Structures are given as C-alpha cells and as structure tokens.
C-alpha cells in the first residue's frame, strides 16, 4: 500500500482578503493601516478598488485644503468634543467624537511617520475664532504620502473599478464584492469590505430624493464630487445597514459661479449686504463670524429665487485689510459708480436695489467698525436686521460679487461602531463590514469645520487595523 496516498499534505490556511472601496483619505488610511498590521504575515492581502483612474483618484480629498480643527499637531483645543456635539444639538454620537479625540495623537504620529508635515496658516475665515492646522500641500499631499506607502506594503490597486454590491454566502455572511470595471462585472472574494467611497453628492437623482427638492442649482465645489455617487452607502443599506447622520442635509459653501476654479469662495459677505435677484435683502449677513455662518448663508442663498445672491459693498470694503484672504474667487467684482449702474450690470431692478440700500443705510447704528471680530455695530428697525459690521453703503465705487451655493458633501450615511464596524438597523455590528470617512453619517444641522479629513484619517485607520486583526485572528 502506498504511504503517499494516505499522508495528505497539510493545506495552508486560505489567504484572506480585505477589500477597501475608495482611495481618498479614509480608504488610503484604512488600506495602509491594514497592510501595516499584516506586514510580514501571509494571512491576508489588501485590495483597493477605485472607480477613477490614478490621475483623478482621491475624490474630495484630492481637492481639499484639508484644514484640521486642531490648535496644534497633538492639540485639539479645549472644547473639541463639546463643540462638535453642540453643532449637531447633541445628535452626533458622543462615542464617535470621543474616539476621534482618543486616537488623535497616535494618528497624527502615524501620518507624520509617512512624511506629512503640518503648519498653522490663517484661513479664509478672516473674523474666525477657531484655529485650524493644515497638512503642507493640503489633501493632495496626504494622497501623495499614503498611496506609495500602500504600494510598498503590497496593497493592490484596481483603478477604473466601481463597487456595486456586497455578495453574501448561503449563510448570509459577507463573501465578496461585485464590481464593474474595464472587463465587465466580476465578484472579488472578500472576507472584509471597508467602505470608504465618500457620500452621494455626485448622484443628482439620489441627492434630490434625499434633500426633497431639485438640486440642479447646486454647484459641485470641486471636480472630485462627481466620483462620489453613493454606491458604497447603498450596497450596505441593501444588506441591512443602519443609517446615520442627517439625510436631508449637506455641507454647503458660498461661491462665485463666474469663477472657473474649484472652491471659489466668497467668505466676506458680512462686509456689505446680500440681496437676491429681486434686489431684496433676505438674511442677517452679520449674525456671527463667517466660520459660524457661511454654511447656513450658502443654504439660504440656495433657497432664493434662481438660487443666486449678490454681495454688494462699496469703498468701505477697502478698510477690511485681509479681504483678499476671504475671497478665493479669481473673478473680478462688478464695479460701478452708482447703485443703479451696478444693478443694471447685474440684471437686478435698479430702483429696488437703491431702495434696499437706502433703508439699510437709514438703519445703521453708531459704533466702531472692527472687521476682525463681531463688533456689535448693527442696524435698528431693519428686517432682516444686520447684527454686526453694519456700515452705510454710500461711498462709490460700488462693488458686487454674485454668490451661489456649492455642495461639498452629504451628511447622510452609514452608522458605525467605535471600531468602524457598520451596524445593522438594530445596532449590531455586521460581520466583516466596515466604513469610514464621508460615507459614514455623523453630521446634523451644521458642519463643524475641519473635522472631515480628520475623521476620515482616524476612522480609516481604526477600520483598517480592526479588519486586519479580524482577518489574522479568524
Ligand atoms: C474643495 C473642498 C474643500 C474642503 N475643505 C475641507 C477642509 O478644509 N477640512 C476638512 O476636514 N474637510 C474638507 N473638505 C471635505 C473633505 O475633503 C472630505 O470630506 C474628505 O476628504 C472625504 O474623504 P473620504 O476618503 O471619505 O472620501 P473621498 O476623498 O471623496 O474619496 C472617495 C473615493 O471613493 C471613490 N469611489 C466613490 N465611489 C466608488 C465606488 N462605487 N467604487 C470605487 N470607488 C469609489 C472616489 O473616486 C474617491 O476616490 C473639503 C472638500 C472639498 C472638495
């Protein structure tokens, strides 16, 4: 009897696969962290599927300045958690924000270990109160550091490949990811899937449905928006995931529609008035610092006729010596020696604009104008009022910038645990399924600026490490 027939070779354990969907800050942080945790083992491999080609990959991360809501590299500031919770009236899960705080130091150490440097630069919020830190080179520098790191660690990138659906085995357990790519559809076997494919701001239909109104008037803030169509969120919901964040809201910024540039911000609206296409004021332009009010101002502009407003000011604007910092538009203002002439250039009713400015001027109260901080120099008897920075507009030349609302990202997404595991509708973790970054829903009401890239990095890293631990341990 042959001995070889009975003595079977021990079968090597099957190599597990972690698939990451998307290669923005969340996806790359997840892929690199998973690969680092698995380095030197053969237990699992990491595959990134990315819908864009390499030169366009990186979604919103590619276009962001990546301001972080930090006082310094390891210093989040005194009220980091409280502020973020307050912005949502307590609806953002406290555990999520506390995890951000806890994991901040090690994550900042890690990203600096990949060659990213930080600096504290003045922002476009020229009367702001919260400090921001920025990676040198913005979001693109984060991609430029992490993508080669992933490649060195053996992560396989599949560009031009779009995740479509999660695949489950006969027991309902996650077993793969259906993707479409240059060669058609294919299922990639997967033990874990980390969804990091951004929000659904790039899908006009899904956006209109979630926001409950036509969104064709919203400008995409940057070219990266169009890649984020929400398949990652949808495929998890189809598999029974629970929803997080405010589905009928989004992060908005006021921009100049004439500018060909991404993020052509007009963040100087408190130093004049905003009128709609009827020549009427519709908002208290000075109700708080720009940092606190720019998002709701942009959304209110969107609700005006034709979704357009005009920032009107005069020579007094020159006294705002940092005004250029608040103007990221490269388009020049419309300039005229009279309000009637300015109105004609803008296509506004001249008499109405003159009337609006006259009643505004008549309501301006005495006080000392200080553009650097809320100065209490407001109006009396005006509806809507202007609470700060009220100065008569009577000194030509008059200037105007058109302003519309741009969408940056959606607030609605998936709910996760503090380990980045996607939870089902009953709140239980779904085995093998993770999510990080914009596709997870935590924001409600008002976006706490400077938290999006930070959370993508921190939770991407958490999800990657957890998935690697699960792959190695199973
Ligand atoms: C102009 C601008 C300025 C901003 N300023 C700031 C700021 O100062 N501070 C801050 O914190 N945040 C800022 N943000 C927001 C922040 O940049 C994003 O929220 C963050 O980068 C999102 O990271 P992410 O990895 O979750 O998604 P993304 O960076 O958008 O990456 C998603 C990736 O998934 C890919 N993808 C999408 N769908 C699929 C699919 N089905 N299959 C495969 N791949 C898919 C996309 O191609 C993309 O590469 C700004 C954004 C923009 C655009």
């Amino acid at each position: 009897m042959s001995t070889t027939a009975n003595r079977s070779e021990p079968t090597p354990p099957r190599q597990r696969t972690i698939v990451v969907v998307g290669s923005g800050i969340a996806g790359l942080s997840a892929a690199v962290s998973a690969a680092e945790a698995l380095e030197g083992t053969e237990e699992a491999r990491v595959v990134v599927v990315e819908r864009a080609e390499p030169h366009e990959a990186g979604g919103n991360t590619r276009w962001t300045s990546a301001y972080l809501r930090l006082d310094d590299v390891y210093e989040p500031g005194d009220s980091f958690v409280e502020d973020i919770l307050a912005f949502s009236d307590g609806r953002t899960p406290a555990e999520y924000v506390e995890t951000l705080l806890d994991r901040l130091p090690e994550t900042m150490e890690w990203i600096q270990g990949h060659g990213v440097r930080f600096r504290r630069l003045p922002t476009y919020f020229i009367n702001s109160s919260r400090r921001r830190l920025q990676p040198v080179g913005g979001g693109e520098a984060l991609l430029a550091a992490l993508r080669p790191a992933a490649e060195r660690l053996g992560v396989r990138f599949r560009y031009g490949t779009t995740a479509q659906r999660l695949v489950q085995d006969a027991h309902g357990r996650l077993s793969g990811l259906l993707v479409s790519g240059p060669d058609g559809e294919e299922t990639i076997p997967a033990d874990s899937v980390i969804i990091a494919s951004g929000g659904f701001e790039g899908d006009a239909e899904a956006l209109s449905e979630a926001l409950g109104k036509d969104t064709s008037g919203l400008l995409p803030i940057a070219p990266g928006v169009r890649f984020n169509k929400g398949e990652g969120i949808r495929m998890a919901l189809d598999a029974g995931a629970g929803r997080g964040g405010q589905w009928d809201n989004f992060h908005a910024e006021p921009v100049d529609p004439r500018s060909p540039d991404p993020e052509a911000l007009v963040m100087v609206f408190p130093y004049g008035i905003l009128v709609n296409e009827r020549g009427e004021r519709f908002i208290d332009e000075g109700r708080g610092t720009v940092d606190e009010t720019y998002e709701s101002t942009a959304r209110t502009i969107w609700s005006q006729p034709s979704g357009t407003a005009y920032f009107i000011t005069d020579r007094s604007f020159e006294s705002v010596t940092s005004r250029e910092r608040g103007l990221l538009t490269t388009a020049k203002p419309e300039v005229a020696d009279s309000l009637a002439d300015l109105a004609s250039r803008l296509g506004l009713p001249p008499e109405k604009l003159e009337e609006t400015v006259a009643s505004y001027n008549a309501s301006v109260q005495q006080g000392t104008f200080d553009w650097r901080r809320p100065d209490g120099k407001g109006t009396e008897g005006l509806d809507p009022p202007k609470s700060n920075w009220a100065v008569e507009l009577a000194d030509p030349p008059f200037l105007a910038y058109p302003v519309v609302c741009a969408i940056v990202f959606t607030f609605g997404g998936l709910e996760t645990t503090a380990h980045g595991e996607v939870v089902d509708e009953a709140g239980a973790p779904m085995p093998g399924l993770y999510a990080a970054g914009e596709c997870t829903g935590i924001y409600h009401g008002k976006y706490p600026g400077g938290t999006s890239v930070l959370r993508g990095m921190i939770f991407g890293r958490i999800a990657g490490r957890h998935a690697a631990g699960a792959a190695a341990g199973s």
Side-chain angles (χ1 to χ4, degrees):
M1 204 167 128
S2 145
T3 49
T4 46
N6 282 339
R7 204 191 309 133
S8 55
E9 293 292 323
T11 33
R14 183 176 69 83
Q15 195 188 36
R16 313 219 150 227
T17 303
I18 298 170
V19 180
V20 179
V21 184
S23 66
I25 184 60
L28 288 177
S29 298
V32 171
S33 299
E36 284 172 345
L38 292 163
E39 203 175 2
T41 79
E42 295 294 316
E43 281 152 342
R45 64 181 185 135
V46 181
V47 178
V48 174
V49 297
E50 166 57 58
R51 96 160 343 118
E53 297 300 332
H55 67 286
E56 289 189 307
N60 272 343
T61 306
R62 173 169 290 283
W63 297 92
T64 175
S65 314
Y67 287 114
L68 310 182
R69 196 181 192 83
L70 300 177
D71 279 2
D72 215 328
V73 177
Y74 305 103
E75 187 40 65
D78 289 341
S79 52
F80 180 83
V81 172
E82 293 77 3
D83 281 358
I84 297 175
L85 296 183
F87 272 54
S88 71
D89 284 333
R91 287 173 290 175
T92 296
E95 191 190 16
Y96 187 98
V97 189
E98 278 152 14
T99 305
L100 274 185
L101 186 67
D102 282 353
R103 299 296 187 92
L104 175 76
E106 64 167 65
T107 309
M108 294 303 277
E109 191 74 27
W110 170 77
I111 194 75
Q112 289 175 106
H114 284 290
V116 175
R117 295 289 168 262
F118 293 90
R119 64 184 165 186
R120 212 166 46 223
L121 274 185
T123 69
Y124 35 71
F125 304 125
I126 65 174
N127 54 26
S128 168
S129 43
R130 283 273 167 246
R131 285 156 110 182
R132 302 279 206 278
L133 196 73
Q134 195 189 21
V136 176
E140 210 164 354
L142 297 172
L143 302 179
L146 290 177
R147 200 189 284 176
E151 285 165 355
R152 276 195 304 275
L153 287 157
V155 173
R156 183 166 170 227
F157 282 82
R158 296 191 52 178
Y159 293 103
T161 304
T162 303
Q164 302 287 3
R165 187 163 55 80
L166 295 167
V167 178
Q168 291 164 328
D169 65 16
H171 309 289
R173 213 202 123 87
L174 176 68
S175 62
L177 179 72
L178 180 78
V179 299
S180 56
D183 304 322
E185 287 197 340
E186 164 198 357
T187 296
I188 304 175
D191 300 276
S192 307
V193 171
I194 303 175
I195 301 170
S197 47
F200 55 94
E201 56 274 2
D203 180 341
E205 205 177 310
L207 193 60
S208 295
E209 195 186 319
L211 300 184
K213 63 194 260 201
D214 174 28
T215 54
S216 54
L218 288 176
L219 277 191
I221 191 74
V225 162
R226 74 180 193 280
F227 294 103
N228 294 352
K229 296 179 188 292
E231 294 93 343
I233 297 173
R234 271 195 299 279
M235 66 192 191
L237 294 179
D238 288 347
R243 292 170 183 244
Q246 187 181 354
W247 275 71
D248 60 357
N249 214 339
F250 64 99
H251 179 39
E253 293 187 340
V255 299
D256 183 342
R258 302 168 306 158
S259 173
D261 302 315
E263 212 177 22
L265 298 175
V266 179
M267 292 288 201
V268 290
F269 52 83
Y271 309 114
I273 58 170
L274 284 168
V275 299
N276 60 21
E277 67 172 21
R278 299 189 190 122
E280 296 163 346
R281 286 181 63 251
F282 54 91
I283 196 168
D284 179 347
E285 304 88 345
R287 65 199 180 285
T289 63
V290 172
D291 192 359
E292 288 163 358
T293 60
Y294 72 96
E295 185 180 61
S296 55
T297 299
R299 288 198 204 119
T300 309
I301 289 171
W302 185 42
S303 69
Q304 295 304 300
S306 81
T308 305
Y310 300 86
F311 166 60
I312 311 277
T313 189
D314 70 354
R315 189 187 291 277
S316 65
F317 191 42
E318 289 173 15
S319 68
V320 182
T321 45
S322 290
R323 62 191 179 284
E324 294 296 337
R325 188 148 57 78
L327 281 166
L328 266 56
T329 173
T330 49
K332 298 284 169 228
E334 293 293 337
V335 182
D337 283 333
S338 73
L339 283 168
D341 197 10
L342 189 71
S344 303
R345 284 166 191 255
L346 299 170
L348 304 179
E351 280 176 19
K352 183 66 199 175
L353 183 65
E354 285 177 330
E355 188 188 313
T356 297
V357 172
S359 58
Y360 163 74
N361 285 349
S363 73
V364 169
Q365 298 299 290
Q366 295 294 315
T368 307
F369 173 73
D370 182 356
W371 61 265
R372 291 178 183 80
R373 57 191 60 82
D375 60 4
K377 184 167 160 42
T379 57
E380 179 76 39
L382 189 70
D383 184 25
K386 186 172 179 197
S387 303
N388 291 285
W389 305 293
V391 173
E392 283 183 45
L393 300 177
D395 189 7
F398 296 98
L399 280 69
Y401 288 88
V403 192
V404 301
C405 179
I407 181 164
V408 187
F409 56 79
T410 39
F411 281 2
L414 304 170
E415 191 162 350
T416 57
T417 66
H419 298 302
E421 302 154 297
V422 175
V423 299
D424 64 18
E425 283 168 300
M430 297 173 71
L433 190 59
Y434 299 82
E438 221 174 65
C439 65
T440 60
I442 63 156
Y443 299 121
H444 297 257
K446 188 159 97 168
Y447 169 60
T451 55
S452 197
V453 168
L454 195 61
R455 80 188 186 102
M457 189 161 65
I458 292 177
F459 271 90
R461 185 162 153 74
I462 290 172
R465 283 156 69 106
H466 200 275
S474 52

